[in-house]
């Protein structure tokens, strides 16, 4: 079990690097943000985590009686130099999880977090950024904020300087506590154990969209704006903005159709619509009961059902 | 790795081939082929895999009125220099399972070739000769087995465990072939004796086993008579099978009705 690098770090440059990690998750906010940055910077693939001990293969290719390929979810590293810094990216197509668990947890997730950080340290990274979603009371037409969670107190002061970014203690009704599920959280903890700085940047997503099958690029854009400001990097986010607008229109149309057919009861519609005119800071905490009641209606609408039968060979 | 294997006998091999079959399969092909081989070759078990890392052991499943328990056993046939592995498909840690089986095959048994057995659901009919489609992990073995009447497969999709094992074996340098014998879709839930016979016939030829397949011939003949009787009794079933025999396809409802009717008729024991 390990990683494979196609390129070793340059000893002259292997210091002061930063790593950005993205995996699929709610609204694919993190992976879309990190992958977009990787693409904009034209980072080159430099290695991968060998996937077979973490994931099941999803595709076999057989041609003319010969087994040509077995494909697994990829977990790849990319590198680009920017000014005097190495920018290392880790993009995972899937999070490793134990049987019957939704998020990365357990031994395999811990092993993967360690492998990612082994590579980070090999390339002299002193700072790790992960990214994901913050499910909250926000309307999909509002600009999402970015919730930032550092793995040590010294970083909190720095985070307060970031634009459109809040710490847990600044979020109404949260106190200064919360839980970051999956690798985004685990990596922060393992980095802390190794004495590495790490920050998780989570873009806000409306709670009624957390089970939606489409991405939520508006929050990815908020995350990217924070990252590019930190790096002092000017990038063109027009494509992400256009995708955001397109998705927002789809959400509008989808909700409108549900309201019309009363697939969503009027009181739930009112609760969602109330968010349209509310500033994030004005919102009180949503109770578990309220959220459960609303999600009972919304989640089932997003339920995709079982996959069609496939022939397995 | 060693602690997952429990040896009960020290079997001796020279340069054996490993035949792998899984407990669940279309047409019950894989388990029936292995059971038949073990019975006819007097193969004895000599090693099994501890299930705890690979199966959910929260109670037992009950099937056909009997409590089931995951079983992964190796059998030996020294006379024919064969190792036979019959297993439930692991629920967890599939790579570790297949890697361990391949390691044992390579380093403990010195396996020369790997053969996996499986059924592939097809639109062929029970009256057609079953083809065996083959997938190799080495071109050399493909050339070596040319002349055994198998067809090369071309396919893309979700891998079955046999394909996964073939891939793991290839990484270790063990040449292997997956045999996929056609099963008419309406026999997938029953025993397809012709497919079982076709697969055993290949193994018989390949390893000069001198198997007596008369029992299967009789079962195949009896099954065909039953299906013919069903066709006489039920004109719609006759029409559907006739359409398939003429190369036409059935809609989903017709397919489901055909599967249900044939399965129930064969299980009811009418003759």
């Amino acid at each position: 079990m390990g990683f494979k690098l196609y390129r070793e770090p340059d000893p002259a440059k292997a210091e002061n690097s930063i790593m950005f990690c993205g995996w699929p998750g709610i609204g694919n906010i993190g992976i879309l943000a990190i992958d977009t940055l990787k693409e904009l910077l034209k980072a080159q693939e430099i290695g991968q985590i060998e996937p077979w001990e973490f994931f099941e293969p999803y595709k076999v290719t057989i041609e003319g009686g010969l087994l040509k390929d077995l494909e697994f979810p990829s977990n790849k590293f990319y590198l680009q130099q920017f000014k005097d810094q190495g920018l290392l990216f880790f993009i995972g197509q899937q999070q490793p999880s134990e049987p019957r668990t939704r998020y990365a947890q357990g031994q395999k997730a811990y092993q993967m977090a360690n492998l990612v950080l082994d590579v980070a340290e090999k390339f002299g990274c002193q700072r790790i950024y992960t990214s994901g979603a913050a499910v909250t009371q926000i309307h999909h037409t509002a600009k999402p904020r970015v919730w930032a969670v550092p793995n040590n107190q010294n970083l909190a002061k720095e985070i307060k300087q970031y634009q459109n970014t809040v710490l847990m203690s600044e979020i109404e009704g949260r106190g200064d506590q919360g839980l970051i599920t999956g690798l985004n959280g685990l990596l922060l903890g393992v980095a802390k154990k190794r004495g590495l700085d790490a920050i998780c940047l989570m873009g806000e997503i409306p709670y009624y969209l957390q089970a939606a099958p489409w991405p939520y690029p508006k929050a990815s854009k908020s995350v990217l704006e924070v990252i590019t400001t930190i790096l002092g990097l000017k990038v063109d986010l027009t494509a992400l903005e256009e995708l955001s607008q397109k998705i927002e229109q789809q959400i509008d149309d989808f909700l409108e159709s549900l309201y019309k057919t009363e697939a969503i009861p009027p009181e739930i519609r009112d609760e969602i619509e109330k968010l349209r005119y509310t500033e994030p800071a004005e919102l009180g905490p949503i109770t578990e009961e309220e959220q459960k009641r609303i999600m009972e209606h919304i989640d089932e609408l997003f339920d995709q059902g079982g996959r069609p039968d496939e022939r397995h060979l | 790795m060693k602690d997952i294997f429990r040896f009960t006998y020290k079997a001796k091999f020279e340069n054996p081939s490993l035949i792998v079959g899984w407990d669940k399969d279309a047409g019950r092909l894989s388990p029936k082929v292995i059971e038949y081989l073990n019975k006819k070759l007097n193969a004895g078990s000599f090693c099994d895999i501890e299930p705890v890392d690979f199966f959910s052991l929260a109670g037992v499943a009950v099937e056909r009125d009997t409590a089931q328990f995951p079983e992964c056993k190796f059998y030996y046939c020294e006379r024919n220099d064969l190792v036979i592995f019959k297993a439930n498909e692991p629920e967890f840690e599939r790579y570790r399972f297949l890697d361990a089986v391949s390691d044992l095959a390579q380093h403990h048994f010195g396996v020369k070739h790997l053969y996996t057995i499986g059924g592939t659901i097809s639109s062929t009919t029970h009256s057609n000769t079953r083809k065996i489609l083959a997938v190799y992990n080495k071109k050399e073995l493909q050339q070596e087995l040319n002349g055994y009447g198998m067809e090369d497969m071309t396919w893309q999709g979700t891998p079955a465990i046999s394909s996964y094992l073939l891939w793991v074996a290839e990484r270790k340098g063990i040449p292997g072939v997956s045999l996929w014998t056609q099963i008419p879709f309406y026999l997938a839930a029953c025993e397809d004796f012709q497919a079982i016979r076709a697969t055993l016939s290949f193994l018989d030829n390949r390893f000069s086993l001198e198997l007596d397949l008369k029992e299967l011939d009789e079962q195949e003949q009896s099954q065909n008579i039953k299906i013919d009787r069903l066709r006489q009794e039920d004109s719609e079933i006759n029409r559907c099978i006739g359409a398939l025999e003429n190369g036409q396809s059935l809609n989903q409802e017709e397919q489901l009705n055909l599967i249900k009717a044939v399965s129930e008729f064969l299980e009811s024991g009418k003759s």
Side-chain angles (χ1 to χ4, degrees), chain A residues 21 23 95 103-104 109 113 117 130-132 149-151 179-192 198-202:
Chain A
C21 304
W23 296 274
Q95 297 199 30
Y103 296 108
L117 292 179
T130 66
S131 181
V149 176
N151 69 350
L179 174 71
I180 306 173
T181 49
L183 272 179
N184 282 321
L186 189 59
L187 208 74
L188 253 60
V190 180
K192 183 172 189 161
I199 298 172
C200 181
L201 300 171
M202 295 170 284

Side-chain angles (χ1 to χ4, degrees), chain A residues 46-295:
Chain A
I46 57 154
Q48 64 163 329
I49 288 180
E50 294 176 332
W52 32 90
E53 297 210 27
F54 294 102
F55 304 106
E56 285 293 310
Y58 63 87
K59 186 178 172 188
V60 62
T61 302
I62 299 161
E63 283 172 17
L66 285 171
L67 179 73
K68 291 287 182 187
D69 195 18
L70 199 69
E71 291 175 55
F72 294 80
S74 71
N75 286 270
K76 294 181 175 175
F77 296 96
Y78 304 82
L79 181 67
Q80 182 60 286
Q81 284 297 132
F82 175 67
K83 296 179 181 170
D84 60 340
Q85 275 188 319
L87 302 183
L88 195 59
F89 296 86
F90 176 71
I91 310 278
Q93 276 187 342
Q94 196 176 312
Q95 297 199 30
S97 62
E98 300 294 320
R100 293 184 292 272
T101 60
R102 186 173 173 187
Y103 296 108
Q105 62 182 63
Q107 195 185 10
K108 293 212 169 179
Y110 183 65
Q111 284 167 341
M112 179 163 278
N114 274 297
L115 287 174
V116 171
L117 292 179
D118 286 347
V119 174
E121 290 202 277
K122 204 171 165 60
F123 279 82
C125 290
Q126 292 299 311
R127 171 76 64 94
I128 318 289
Y129 286 96
T130 66
S131 181
V135 178
T136 189
Q137 290 195 85
I138 182 177
H139 196 263
H140 61 272
T141 52
K143 181 179 175 65
R145 297 177 301 177
V146 176
W147 296 13
V149 176
N151 69 350
N152 67 66
Q153 272 298 327
N154 295 335
L155 294 170
K157 197 188 269 182
E158 179 188 320
I159 287 168
K160 284 184 177 178
Q161 311 300 315
Y162 297 171
Q163 58 171 348
N164 190 34
T165 303
V166 288
L167 290 161
M168 282 289 188
S169 58
E170 295 169 321
I171 298 160
E172 188 70 32
R174 277 270 172 187
D176 54 2
Q177 295 180 347
L179 174 71
I180 306 173
T181 49
L183 272 179
N184 282 321
L186 189 59
L187 208 74
L188 253 60
V190 180
K192 183 172 189 161
K193 190 166 171 271
R194 294 186 181 208
L196 295 170
D197 287 349
I199 298 172
C200 181
L201 300 171
M202 295 170 284
E204 288 183 327
I205 181 171
Y207 61 86
Y208 53 86
L209 293 179
Q210 62 180 294
W214 48 68
Y216 197 63
K218 186 176 265 196
S220 306
K221 185 166 173 269
S222 289
V223 170
L224 259 185
E225 284 166 352
V226 174
I227 291 175
T228 51
T229 305
I230 293 167
L231 293 174
L233 183 67
K234 283 200 182 346
V235 288
D236 180 7
L237 298 180
T238 309
L240 203 54
E241 176 58 33
E242 284 171 2
L243 182 63
S244 298
Q245 287 172 8
K246 197 174 151 192
I247 297 274
E248 186 174 319
Q249 187 59 51
Q250 281 177 8
I251 297 167
D252 276 337
D253 295 345
F254 180 69
L255 287 176
E256 196 55 42
S257 70
L258 296 180
Y259 297 159
K260 270 188 188 155
T261 56
E262 297 203 349
I264 290 182
E267 64 270 23
I268 305 293
R269 179 194 63 197
D270 292 346
E271 300 220 22
I272 292 173
E273 286 306 301
K274 196 168 71 182
L275 297 173
R276 189 186 288 270
Y277 308 103
T278 314
E279 288 294 315
E282 295 172 23
L283 298 168
I286 185 169
T287 66
E288 275 187 27
E289 257 182 45
E290 282 170 334
Q291 178 156 341
K292 194 178 162 199
R293 184 167 55 83
I294 294 167
M295 292 313 296

Side-chain angles (χ1 to χ4, degrees), chain B residues 151-164:
Chain B
E151 278 189 19
D152 290 342
M153 178 183 275
T154 292
W155 193 76
Q156 273 192 347
T158 311
I161 192 158
S162 288
S163 300
Y164 199 177

Side-chain angles (χ1 to χ4, degrees), chain B residues 228-271:
Chain B
D228 285 345
R229 177 153 179 202
L230 175 64
R231 292 179 75 166
Q232 285 166 15
E233 287 179 10
D234 190 327
S235 59
E236 178 58 15
I237 294 302
N238 187 42
R239 186 192 66 77
C240 287
I241 295 177
L244 291 170
E245 284 171 336
N246 290 324
Q248 295 161 359
S249 55
L250 304 179
N251 66 35
Q252 199 177 9
E253 192 184 347
E254 289 169 332
Q255 288 179 28
L256 291 173
N257 287 339
L258 183 56
I259 292 168
K260 190 166 179 281
V262 172
S263 304
E264 285 177 0
F265 193 82
L266 292 179
E267 276 187 16
S268 72
K270 282 189 187 179
S271 60

Side-chain angles (χ1 to χ4, degrees), chain B residues 5-259:
Chain B
F5 296 107
R6 195 173 61 87
F7 286 86
T8 52
Y9 175 77
K10 195 171 169 55
K12 285 181 189 148
F13 306 103
E14 283 183 17
N15 197 10
S17 288
L18 171 64
I19 300 172
V20 175
W22 307 99
D23 185 58
K24 296 234 176 346
D25 198 9
R28 301 230 354 107
L29 180 118
S30 186
K32 283 289 167 187
V33 165
I34 299 294
E35 281 165 24
Y36 205 91
L37 270 183
N38 283 346
K39 186 174 139 193
K40 296 293 178 184
L41 300 178
N42 286 321
S45 76
F46 71 103
C47 173
D48 62 1
I49 294 179
E50 289 291 346
V52 67
D53 289 347
F54 308 109
F55 298 92
S56 162
L57 300 179
V60 294
V62 179
E63 287 175 21
R64 297 179 186 195
D65 294 332
T66 316
Q68 306 292 312
F69 196 70
E71 204 172 66
C72 308
K73 277 193 173 175
F74 290 90
Y75 299 83
Y76 67 97
C77 179
E78 288 171 347
R79 183 165 52 95
N80 301 97
D81 207 21
L82 285 180
V83 184
I84 298 167
F85 180 56
K86 182 175 177 242
N88 289 81
E89 286 191 28
E91 295 170 52
F92 318 125
E93 297 280 353
R94 298 207 309 163
Y95 176 77
R96 192 154 75 88
F97 183 94
L98 300 175
D99 188 58
V101 168
S102 305
D103 258 359
L104 190 76
Q106 186 170 41
H107 300 301
H108 198 86
F109 308 147
V111 155
K112 180 174 62 176
H113 290 144
L114 161 75
Y115 296 79
T116 73
I117 307 295
T120 181
I121 294 171
S122 160
S123 57
T124 191
T125 64
H126 67 284
S127 47
N128 280 337
T129 304
R130 307 293 189 276
K131 287 179 190 165
I132 301 179
L133 308 177
V135 182
Y136 305 86
N137 66 7
K138 297 271 183 200
K139 196 149 185 72
E140 294 74 23
L141 185 59
Q142 185 179 33
Q143 284 162 352
E144 192 178 324
L145 293 184
N146 187 17
Y148 279 87
M150 297 188 291
E151 278 189 19
D152 290 342
M153 178 183 275
T154 292
W155 193 76
Q156 273 192 347
T158 311
I161 192 158
S162 288
S163 300
Y164 199 177
L165 177 59
L166 201 65
W167 179 83
V168 173
E170 195 273 333
R171 281 167 54 83
K172 291 180 184 296
I174 306 171
V177 57
S178 286
L179 309 177
W180 295 102
T181 310
Q182 288 182 321
I183 311 285
F185 67 87
Y186 52 89
L187 288 180
C190 316
E191 288 162 341
D192 182 354
F193 295 109
Q194 195 199 134
I196 294 165
R197 194 201 186 286
T199 311
L200 282 164
S201 185
F202 164 79
L203 296 171
D204 191 30
N205 287 339
R206 176 66 178 155
F207 300 111
S208 307
L209 302 175
E210 296 176 1
L211 292 174
D212 174 8
L213 300 173
K214 207 165 69 182
E215 198 180 313
L216 281 168
D217 289 336
E218 287 167 5
Q219 286 170 312
E220 179 195 335
Q221 200 179 4
S222 164
Q223 188 174 63
N224 286 346
I225 289 169
K226 285 180 189 174
I227 297 173
D228 285 345
R229 177 153 179 202
L230 175 64
R231 292 179 75 166
Q232 285 166 15
E233 287 179 10
D234 190 327
S235 59
E236 178 58 15
I237 294 302
N238 187 42
R239 186 192 66 77
C240 287
I241 295 177
L244 291 170
E245 284 171 336
N246 290 324
Q248 295 161 359
S249 55
L250 304 179
N251 66 35
Q252 199 177 9
E253 192 184 347
E254 289 169 332
Q255 288 179 28
L256 291 173
N257 287 339
L258 183 56
I259 292 168

